Amino acid sequence: MPVITKHVEIAAPASATFDYLSSHENVPDWMFGVTSFVPVGPVSRGTGDRFDAEMKLGPKALHSTVDIVEWVDGSVIALSSVKGFETSSRWVVTPVDDGNCVADVEFRYEFPGGFTGKALAKVVEPFINQGISVTDRTLRSRLESPRST
C-alpha cells in the first residue's frame, strides 16, 4: 500500500487548526479533489462517525465510505475506508507556540488488483501526489491570518 507523508507548518493556533481539519463541512474546501463528504448518521465528532466521500482525481471519480477510527480531541484524527476506494489517513496537529502549529499527515491508498486496478493507478496516481501539495497550500491559506508588515 503506497504511503504519502507530509509535514505542514501553519501560522495558526493548534486548536483552530484541529477544529477546521476535523469539521466534515470543511473537507471539500481544503482537501484536493474531494467534491463531497457527507455524514452517514449522526455526527459526534469522534470515533465511529461515518462519511460517504467522493473524490475526483483527474478524469476519475472515486467513492469511499470512511469511518473515524481514532480521535484525540484537539490533536489526532484518523479515517479508514470501509467501502469503495481503499484509503486511510491520519492527521496529528501539534502546537509550536500560541499562534503556530504543525500538522503531520500520513495518507495510504490501495487500488484493486488485476488489470482494472493497474489501469486505474496509471490514471489516478499522478494526481494524488499533486493533490497533497495543493492540499498543503489550501489548508494554510484557509487557516493563516494575514500578517501585518
Side-chain angles (χ1 to χ4, degrees):
M1 180 176 278
V3 178
I4 299 170
T5 60
K6 190 75 174 174
H7 178 82
V8 183
E9 296 177 6
I10 302 171
S15 60
T17 298
F18 183 81
D19 287 347
Y20 185 80
L21 273 174
S22 64
S23 174
H24 70 276
E25 294 99 346
N26 296 330
V27 173
D29 292 335
W30 63 267
M31 173 102 32
F32 177 81
V34 174
T35 57
S36 176
F37 199 80
V38 179
V40 177
V43 175
S44 67
R45 291 187 53 91
T47 304
D49 286 355
R50 178 169 284 185
F51 301 91
D52 279 333
E54 181 174 291
M55 178 178 275
K56 185 152 175 49
L57 295 173
K60 187 71 179 161
L62 303 171
H63 301 271
S64 248
T65 300
V66 297
D67 283 356
I68 295 179
V69 295
E70 182 182 8
W71 180 283
V72 178
D73 198 31
S75 63
V76 179
I77 183 169
L79 299 102
S80 185
S81 60
V82 294
K83 182 176 159 190
F85 178 58
E86 192 174 331
T87 181
S88 67
S89 63
R90 185 172 191 266
W91 293 83
V92 179
V93 178
T94 307
V96 173
D97 57 34
D98 288 344
N100 296 281
C101 66
V102 293
D104 291 295
V105 63
E106 181 178 280
F107 179 73
R108 298 173 181 267
Y109 61 94
E110 188 70 43
F111 294 106
F115 180 74
T116 302
K118 287 180 183 177
L120 181 60
K122 188 173 181 125
V123 170
V124 171
E125 277 189 327
F127 295 99
I128 291 175
N129 286 320
Q130 173 192 7
I132 295 295
S133 294
V134 171
T135 294
D136 173 348
R137 288 191 307 272
T138 303
L139 186 58
R140 282 187 294 173
S141 73
R142 298 278 193 271
L143 288 165
E144 293 178 346
S145 60
R147 298 204 180 233
S148 55
T149 54

